[in-house]
Amino acid sequence: MAKEQGQITNKDDDIEIDLLGLLMAFRRRLWLILLAAVVCGSLAGAYSKFVLIPQYTSSAMLYVLSKETTLTSLADLQIGSQLSEDYKVIIGTRPLLQEVIDRLGLDMSYRQLRSKISISDSSERIMTLTVTDPDPQLAKLIVNQVAATASDYIGDIMEMVPPKIIEDGEVNFVPVSPNNKRNTLLGAMLGAVLVCGVITVRFLMDDTVQTEEDVERYLGISVLAIVPERARTKDNKRKKASRKARKKGARK
């Protein structure tokens, strides 16, 4: 008995996952997985379309290097890269943004305006300003005003030739967010994953003995015989049929 108990303990310590059984559990609950995907996808798509506010962008471009540079050496490119970093910091400062707010009469703080602005480098010498706003017309006005104010402000602060605006912003009526199709797919995937997770947890927590392999795994003993369930069902049906026949005969 001591050996048998030791074998049971060792087997209990090893965590084994029956992948085939898990796949069969998924197959039996496939309708539930599909239902969860459809419901969650529909809810996510409806929320994205009817609740989330569409956002629009407008971009302007600034030429970083001044006419004093020759663009003939690596040093000029390094200067352009450094100037871009300096310009990014200056554009996000409170005095510059507050001036933009005052000129346009915006009802927002400079922190709110800063959150709407993103700056990227198209190259070592060209910087792109992008403004995101629910109003496409306002996005254009803000980005153009930020670019103009930045050009004047940078020229005064750094005492150099100001950056040149090479492209103004334009009105873009195509929203950049939300992406309804992507949100619907993400919702469907999330619903399916949640249901699969629940099925997996229930499968792993189910320690009932169902097959001969379970008997060997949990009890550490070999199965000597199996009573087929179908045979018992047929015998029960026969017994019930014979009982009914006897009752009918007795009534007659």
Side-chain angles (χ1 to χ4, degrees), residues 16-244:
E16 297 180 1
I17 299 177
D18 186 3
L19 294 180
L20 182 59
L22 182 59
L23 292 177
M24 293 300 295
F26 287 155
R27 183 178 179 181
R28 288 193 297 269
R29 297 292 187 273
L30 181 60
W31 65 272
L32 185 59
I33 297 174
L34 295 177
L35 179 62
V38 172
V39 172
C40 292
S42 300
L43 292 176
Y47 180 83
S48 177
K49 184 175 182 180
F50 299 108
V51 178
L52 296 181
I53 300 175
Q55 299 292 323
Y56 303 86
T57 61
S58 183
S59 300
M61 302 178 71
L62 295 176
Y63 188 70
V64 175
L65 293 180
S66 66
K67 62 182 180 181
E68 297 175 356
T69 55
T70 60
L71 298 179
T72 57
S73 64
L74 180 61
D76 295 329
L77 296 179
Q78 293 175 345
I79 291 174
S81 177
Q82 184 59 48
L83 287 176
S84 296
E85 296 301 321
D86 294 342
Y87 289 179
K88 291 178 183 179
V89 175
I90 293 175
I91 292 173
T93 57
R94 178 180 56 81
L96 189 150
L97 297 179
Q98 190 61 50
E99 184 175 347
V100 172
I101 293 173
D102 295 338
R103 289 186 178 183
L104 294 178
L106 301 177
D107 185 17
M108 65 179 68
S109 65
Y110 76 93
R111 290 188 178 89
Q112 292 173 325
L113 178 57
R114 181 189 296 166
S115 66
K116 295 176 178 290
I117 302 173
S118 61
I119 306 173
S120 60
D121 296 326
S122 301
S123 68
E124 296 291 341
R125 302 177 299 275
I126 298 176
M127 186 170 58
T128 302
L129 306 178
T130 302
V131 171
T132 304
D133 193 84
D135 186 351
Q137 297 282 356
L138 184 58
K140 174 196 172 184
L141 293 176
I142 292 176
V143 75
N144 288 338
Q145 187 60 58
V146 169
T149 305
S151 179
D152 297 337
Y153 193 82
I154 290 171
D156 294 338
I157 293 297
M158 301 184 70
E159 296 181 353
M160 58 180 295
V161 177
K164 303 297 182 182
I165 301 175
I166 60 177
E167 183 177 285
D168 292 328
E170 63 179 2
V171 179
N172 183 14
F173 291 103
V174 179
V176 295
S177 66
N179 190 327
N180 297 329
K181 292 182 179 180
R182 183 187 63 185
N183 293 340
T184 301
L185 291 176
L186 289 177
M189 291 177 60
L190 179 61
V193 169
L194 289 177
V195 173
C196 289
V198 173
I199 294 174
T200 301
V201 171
R202 292 188 61 182
F203 178 81
L204 296 178
M205 296 297 293
D206 185 9
D207 57 355
T208 58
V209 177
Q210 299 179 358
T211 62
E212 57 269 23
E213 289 81 5
D214 293 339
V215 175
E216 296 179 1
R217 182 184 300 113
Y218 298 129
L219 303 179
I221 58 178
S222 300
V223 178
L224 300 179
I226 299 175
V227 179
E229 184 176 357
R230 292 183 178 178
R232 289 189 300 172
T233 303
K234 291 180 179 179
D235 291 340
N236 293 334
K237 290 181 178 180
R238 291 175 181 175
K239 290 179 181 180
K240 290 181 180 180
S242 61
R243 289 175 184 174
K244 290 182 180 180

